[in-house]
Amino acid sequence: MDVTEVDVAFVKPKDGLIGFASVVLDDQLYLSGIAIHTRLAGSGYRLTYPTRRVGETQFSLFHPIRKPVGFAIERAIVEKVKNVMSKRDVGHGRFDAGSTAF
């Protein structure tokens, strides 16, 4: 399974959350609402997948079942985040306004 598209929407950082990602798998399946957080200990990023609460029960909307798929999604999103961050305009503290499509 290949990650064929990645889009990242950055938010004002709060409690480690820096943005949300959407991915397309094999040009066939669109998944959105994947939260991007800075790692609690050390450098790097971690992902959390969307859930919904119904009463006292929390349901996972989707998440990778197999590790290789999870690693492929994580690798593609982290690569996209690093790519966008490297284009930051250091002189003004702004991001390049270019497209964030992968």
Side-chain angles (χ1 to χ4, degrees), residues 15 17 19-20 25 34 39 41 43 47-48 59 62 66 72 81:
D15 299 328
L17 178 67
F20 291 93
L25 303 178
I34 303 168
R39 287 209 181 269
S43 62
L47 306 178
T48 57
F59 294 95
F62 64 85
R66 303 216 189 291
V81 168

Side-chain angles (χ1 to χ4, degrees), residues 27-38:
D27 288 324
Q28 298 180 49
L29 180 63
Y30 174 81
L31 305 173
S32 66
I34 303 168
I36 308 166
H37 303 266
T38 55

Side-chain angles (χ1 to χ4, degrees), residues 6-101:
V6 177
D7 190 34
V8 175
F10 290 94
V11 298
K12 183 177 179 181
K14 181 179 180 185
D15 299 328
L17 178 67
I18 63 163
F20 291 93
S22 61
V23 297
V24 176
L25 303 178
D26 288 336
D27 288 324
Q28 298 180 49
L29 180 63
Y30 174 81
L31 305 173
S32 66
I34 303 168
I36 308 166
H37 303 266
T38 55
R39 287 209 181 269
L40 298 175
S43 62
Y45 304 96
R46 65 184 178 90
L47 306 178
T48 57
Y49 292 87
T51 60
R52 291 290 182 261
R53 182 175 301 275
V54 177
E56 295 297 315
T57 306
Q58 190 162 343
F59 294 95
S60 177
L61 296 180
F62 64 85
H63 60 85
I65 295 173
R66 303 216 189 291
K67 284 186 180 184
V69 174
F71 289 144
I73 292 170
E74 182 178 353
R75 200 170 28 253
I77 291 173
V78 168
E79 181 179 315
K80 181 66 172 186
V81 168
K82 287 181 178 180
N83 183 29
V84 171
M85 296 291 239
S86 71
K87 291 181 180 181
R88 187 171 72 184
D89 180 356
V90 178
H92 299 285
R94 295 180 298 178
F95 292 105
D96 181 8
S99 172
T100 58

